[in-house]
Amino acid sequence: EVDSATIKKIEEAYAKLNGPEGAKCKSLLKKHLTKDVVDKLKTKRTKLGATLYDCIRSGVYNLDAGVGVYAPDAEAYTLFAPLFDKIIEDYHGFSPKQKQPPVDLGEGKTKEFPPLDPKGKYIKSTRIRCGRSLKGYPFNPCLTQDNYLEMEGKVKKAFSEYSDKELKGKYYPLDGMSKETQKQLIADHFLFKEGDRHLQYANACNFWPKGRGIFHNNDKTFLIWVNEEDHMRIISMQEGSDVGKVLDRLIKGVRGIEKQVPFSRDDRLGWLTFCPTNLGSTVRASVHIALPKLAARKDFIEICEKLNLQVRGIHGEHSESVGGVYDISNKARLGLSEYQAVKQMYDGVKKLIEMEEKQK
Ligand code: ADP
Ligand code: CIR
């Protein structure tokens, strides 16, 4: 049963999105939260207690959001499917009839990805990340402080099992980290930022910084974020444009950790994540790249979108470009394998470089 106060908040949220305040809002939430969807879903509650309001809260407070929804638990994706399916289809081009293909991390195929920019004219660095959720735990809004600490303990133990020399490293909890260290790690693109309002309004920052932290090897080329947006973000990155090498290291890291901790996977949606934009392969493969001639064109973003690429600023999502350097990655993660997601970025960026070289 959903109490009348929550139903009222859902109705007010709908009114806000469609009233004067929401006039400039362009989120997928606003687009797909129709009156019909509201009426169908406002009285539903997941077994863990989450309502439609928990899914939409972030996008109702952040009218500048691109997407605006998060799933408080795995069941939300099916219980609130009339909303999520529409947003998922719009973002990934993945229809309700489609199914995530089997896992293909790209083992044995990483030689297909030699350096994109061997002379180092355009690309500064390359990063590939994927997300994982621990089996048996809901997403952020439903986690207790004990859950956070228990999860942190489990993954910390798993990290200590890495025997590969390249991956071996140390776990640094956020709780107790000095502000200078934290700031430096963020500035150098290694650590997640703090105080993201999209996550805050999704109730994803409860008990912060408890249970949050980062594992990394000595060179900071292999890193794992713990309990930020997702339970885990597994990351491989390095200077230059050697995509194959970055992927090789990510594969080793993922295979190493999945032997220790079981992950949540859905038959249709693939690896489960808190944000619907990350479902499926969960892979975002990106380069930091400067393309001065192309980026000067008015249709630069459109060119990238046509190549299934997403453009972000230099400090990640919702940030700006600095010195003409952009973060360019695959956009879709669902409906394609991990290997295909990397290939989408690889082929797209290759094309962008060709265009830059031909541009007058
Ligand atoms: P995510 O990739 O996990 O969705 P963000 O967009 O917030 O999240 O990016 C996280 C961090 O990774 C940011 O500091 C961003 O600048 C950094 N980053 C992303 N791609 C690259 C890259 N190719 N090289 C170096 N840093 C990168
Ligand atoms: C938005 O809607 O703009 C934010 N909620 C972020 C959406 C996608 N990005 C993400 O999950 N990192």
Side-chain angles (χ1 to χ4, degrees), residues 102-324:
V103 176
D104 175 9
L105 299 181
E107 272 137 326
K109 293 187 277 197
T110 58
K111 288 209 172 56
E112 293 173 25
F113 303 127
L116 268 167
D117 172 29
K119 291 194 184 135
K121 278 163 72 182
Y122 311 103
I123 296 179
K124 296 178 82 81
S125 53
T126 303
R127 174 181 185 263
I128 308 176
R129 61 86 160 157
C130 62
R132 289 291 184 275
S133 300
L134 269 60
K135 218 177 190 147
Y137 293 91
F139 305 134
N140 274 311
C142 300
L143 293 171
T144 64
Q145 178 161 307
D146 284 345
N147 286 153
Y148 276 116
L149 296 175
E150 191 178 282
M151 293 162 81
E152 183 185 43
K154 280 188 188 175
V155 297
K156 228 177 98 171
K157 186 165 169 292
F159 301 153
S160 70
E161 303 289 325
Y162 277 124
S163 52
D164 190 289
K165 224 170 80 199
E166 197 186 8
L167 303 179
K168 256 183 179 317
K170 204 177 152 215
Y171 177 71
Y172 304 84
L174 205 58
D175 198 5
M177 184 184 288
S178 79
K179 279 288 155 197
E180 297 85 85
T181 304
Q182 186 186 358
K183 258 175 79 180
Q184 196 61 52
L185 284 171
I186 295 170
D188 293 342
H189 310 289
F190 297 125
L191 180 62
F192 47 84
K193 53 188 184 285
E194 187 165 272
D196 180 282
R197 59 192 159 80
H198 299 272
L199 290 178
Q200 284 174 337
Y201 279 103
N203 281 322
C205 304
N206 298 330
F207 317 110
W208 192 279
K210 291 267 182 303
R212 276 74 168 194
I214 182 171
F215 165 91
H216 65 75
N217 64 359
N218 236 335
D219 295 342
K220 302 199 188 84
T221 53
F222 178 67
L223 313 95
I224 302 179
W225 295 355
V226 176
N227 282 327
E228 188 239 16
E229 177 173 319
D230 284 310
H231 298 167
M232 274 199 236
R233 284 287 177 87
I234 308 171
I235 300 157
S236 171
M237 62 197 281
Q238 67 187 50
E239 304 275 293
S241 64
D242 194 339
V243 179
K245 201 156 171 220
V246 171
L247 181 58
D248 260 329
R249 188 187 305 115
L250 184 76
I251 294 171
K252 265 198 294 182
V254 170
R255 292 300 185 205
I257 197 101
E258 71 185 5
K259 275 191 252 155
Q260 312 289 331
V261 278
F263 299 135
S264 309
R265 191 176 166 88
D266 181 81
D267 193 43
R268 183 181 153 237
L269 298 173
W271 301 115
L272 291 175
T273 53
F274 182 39
C275 179
T277 63
N278 286 322
L279 290 164
S281 70
T282 75
V283 165
R284 194 171 84 87
S286 65
V287 289
H288 272 180
I289 185 169
L291 299 163
K293 291 183 195 155
L294 216 53
R297 280 176 58 162
K298 272 204 215 67
D299 58 347
F300 175 58
I301 303 284
E302 276 165 69
I303 294 171
C304 293
E305 280 170 357
K306 279 199 192 114
L307 292 167
N308 299 313
L309 299 172
Q310 186 179 62
V311 183
R312 296 184 178 186
I314 197 69
H315 291 290
E317 188 152 48
H318 310 115
S319 72
E320 300 299 320
S321 163
V322 174

